Amino acid sequence: MRIACPFCGPRENGEFSYLGDAKPKRPAPDAGEQAVYEYVYLRDNVAGEMEELWYHGGGCRSWLKVRRNTVTHEIFSVEPAAGAGAAKVSP
């Protein structure tokens, strides 16, 4: 599987680290124990199209949001992951 990094171009997936589903949002500090439990442990295991977070550790060290099919591994889009340490400035 090749991921087209918006900063480095197409790269083998071995350069990236997979974090998981991009949809869950960290609960507020005062959200309570149940909200934290659901955030940490309850995730969907989607067989099909989903948005995921990937870290390009073997390249530009940017966090990326990748929309792909988890069954076929077809990648539909790759973009910087706003709010995930992806503030990357072009030279």
Side-chain angles (χ1 to χ4, degrees):
M1 185 170 71
R2 294 177 62 82
I3 298 174
C5 176
F7 305 110
C8 304
R11 299 290 194 261
E12 293 295 325
N13 70 331
E15 290 188 13
F16 298 86
S17 297
Y18 174 77
L19 176 65
D21 190 351
K23 289 182 184 175
K25 302 295 183 218
R26 183 183 299 256
D30 61 347
E33 190 173 322
Q34 184 63 31
V36 173
Y37 172 83
E38 290 174 7
Y39 171 75
V40 174
Y41 295 107
L42 302 181
R43 302 290 172 102
D44 292 332
N45 187 10
V46 177
E49 192 174 319
M50 71 180 290
E51 289 184 339
E52 304 167 321
L53 291 174
W54 290 75
Y55 177 68
H56 194 184
C60 62
R61 298 185 179 162
S62 292
W63 282 98
L64 305 173
K65 184 166 44 171
V66 178
R67 190 170 59 88
R68 74 177 182 105
N69 186 310
T70 60
V71 176
T72 65
H73 300 294
E74 179 183 2
I75 295 177
F76 304 107
S77 66
V78 180
E79 62 186 42
K88 187 86 171 160
V89 179
S90 298

